[in-house]
Amino acid sequence: MTDFDNEAVHWTVEENDYYDDQNGASSSQFDPFQNMDKVAHPEPEEPVFKAEPMTIRVDDPQKSSSGSFMTYRLFTMTALENYSTNNRPVRRRFSDFVWLHNALSIEFPACIIPPLPEKHRLKFFKGNRFDPLFIEQRRLGLQWFMDRIARHPYLQASQYTRLFLESTDFATDKTIQTKSPSTPLFSSLFKTSTVHVKKPDEKFEEMKESIEKFQVNLQVIERLYSKIGKRQQELETNYSQFAISIRGLSGLETNVDQQLRQFAESVENYANAFKERSK
């Protein structure tokens, strides 16, 4: 090998060392796929179902024509396609809200249906079912229930929700909808009604019996409190009239005028005590 060849080889080695130092690795170690696993691969996005804008207002509680229950007015505003554009208000009683809750629970068993306000309160036991405070508390509970439904993408679009909010003959329509074989509500009810437990657990049987007895006792207590409340109102009226009679008598019996007035005042206080107790 000549001196020129030795010099060329020496220059080539130095040149390779220079490029290795600059690149941080030799060309023989370069792997074009070494960073492929670091490339971010976007995950496929799952479809997100969003609730459409919907407002349901529950207001104007009124007694029914028979005076045995309260009804509430519902007014709906929404742009959902399966809803009517008339936006006419309807009136519903508490048992109608219970029907809607049960229907949605069967149609969407995987959804958490918002709870309804409690049906039984101590106000019932005092014989004052139509107490304004109790009615307002129930209305607020029903408003919260409908607000949760209006914000849920599945519950707001349910055929039962639409029927509940728009039907002008709800008593008839809900019966037809429930009995129709084409509806999932009927099929679910039919399936569940055909399931029989051969050997029910004794603990559940005891619990069921205890609950039934407790319910009967609550009904008895409710009737007793209702009678007691009416009796207290009658006593308050009688004592008030008695006090008026004594005051009239004090004007005739001048000798015992002061004593009769004091007695009349005591009777009036007793009547007022009955009045306060019945509230």
Side-chain angles (χ1 to χ4, degrees):
M1 181 179 294
T2 63
D3 294 338
F4 177 78
D5 293 334
N6 290 332
E7 184 178 356
V9 172
H10 179 70
W11 181 87
T12 303
V13 173
E14 290 181 352
E15 183 183 22
N16 289 337
D17 293 341
Y18 171 78
Y19 282 108
D20 288 344
D21 294 338
Q22 293 295 322
N23 297 329
S26 64
S27 59
S28 61
Q29 296 176 348
F30 175 72
D31 184 3
F33 301 101
Q34 61 182 351
N35 294 324
M36 288 296 293
D37 57 341
K38 299 181 181 180
V39 178
H41 297 282
E43 296 291 337
E45 295 184 358
E46 297 182 358
V48 179
F49 297 96
K50 295 183 179 180
E52 296 293 333
M54 188 178 196
T55 302
I56 304 173
R57 187 171 69 245
V58 182
D59 59 9
D60 191 26
Q62 293 183 4
K63 277 188 180 182
S64 63
S65 57
S66 62
S68 58
F69 58 87
M70 298 294 298
T71 63
Y72 302 85
R73 183 177 63 180
L74 288 94
F75 185 78
T76 307
M77 292 182 292
T78 182
L80 286 170
E81 296 180 355
N82 59 334
Y83 279 79
S84 173
T85 57
N86 293 331
N87 295 331
R88 292 184 299 179
V90 296
R91 301 201 71 86
R92 299 288 181 261
R93 58 185 297 184
F94 183 79
S95 60
D96 297 332
F97 287 88
V98 175
W99 177 90
L100 176 62
H101 184 279
N102 295 337
L104 293 176
S105 299
I106 295 174
E107 185 180 10
F108 302 104
C111 291
I112 300 177
I113 310 301
L116 286 167
E118 296 179 8
K119 184 175 182 179
H120 296 287
R121 294 285 183 88
L122 291 178
K123 288 292 182 182
F124 284 105
F125 299 152
K126 293 184 178 180
N128 193 3
R129 294 180 54 187
F130 303 106
D131 181 78
L133 179 59
F134 171 77
I135 293 174
E136 177 61 16
Q137 290 177 348
R138 170 169 283 187
R139 186 197 68 80
L140 293 175
L142 296 176
Q143 180 67 69
W144 181 86
F145 172 72
M146 298 308 303
D147 288 342
R148 294 290 298 273
I149 290 178
R151 293 196 297 265
H152 196 286
Y154 296 117
L155 301 183
Q156 68 169 194
S158 170
Q159 57 180 331
Y160 303 113
T161 304
R162 183 185 62 81
L163 179 69
F164 177 80
L165 294 174
E166 292 189 344
S167 175
T168 56
D169 189 9
F170 185 68
T172 303
D173 291 342
K174 71 177 181 181
T175 304
I176 296 175
Q177 188 76 2
T178 304
K179 292 183 178 180
S180 175
S182 61
T183 60
L185 178 61
F186 176 84
S187 59
S188 299
L189 289 173
F190 180 78
K191 290 179 181 179
T192 54
S193 63
T194 57
V195 177
H196 299 282
V197 180
K198 295 182 179 180
K199 294 182 179 180
D201 194 336
E202 294 182 359
K203 293 183 179 179
F204 289 104
E205 290 295 325
E206 293 176 358
M207 291 174 60
K208 180 181 178 181
E209 184 178 355
S210 300
I211 292 174
E212 290 176 351
K213 290 181 179 179
F214 182 70
Q215 185 176 4
V216 172
N217 292 333
L218 284 179
Q219 293 174 353
V220 173
I221 293 174
E222 181 180 354
R223 289 194 295 268
L224 290 175
Y225 268 93
S226 179
K227 291 180 180 179
I228 292 173
K230 292 180 180 179
R231 181 57 180 165
Q232 287 179 347
Q233 291 178 357
E234 293 175 357
L235 288 173
E236 185 267 329
T237 302
N238 293 336
Y239 277 113
S240 297
Q241 293 176 353
F242 183 47
I244 294 174
S245 300
I246 294 175
R247 286 190 179 277
L249 182 62
S250 65
L252 300 176
E253 300 292 338
T254 56
N255 296 331
V256 289
D257 176 55
Q258 184 177 0
Q259 291 82 353
L260 289 175
R261 288 184 179 181
Q262 291 177 351
F263 181 59
E265 185 177 354
S266 300
V267 174
E268 287 177 350
N269 293 334
Y270 197 62
N272 291 331
F274 272 108
K275 185 177 181 180
E276 292 295 329
R277 189 175 180 181
S278 62
K279 288 184 178 180

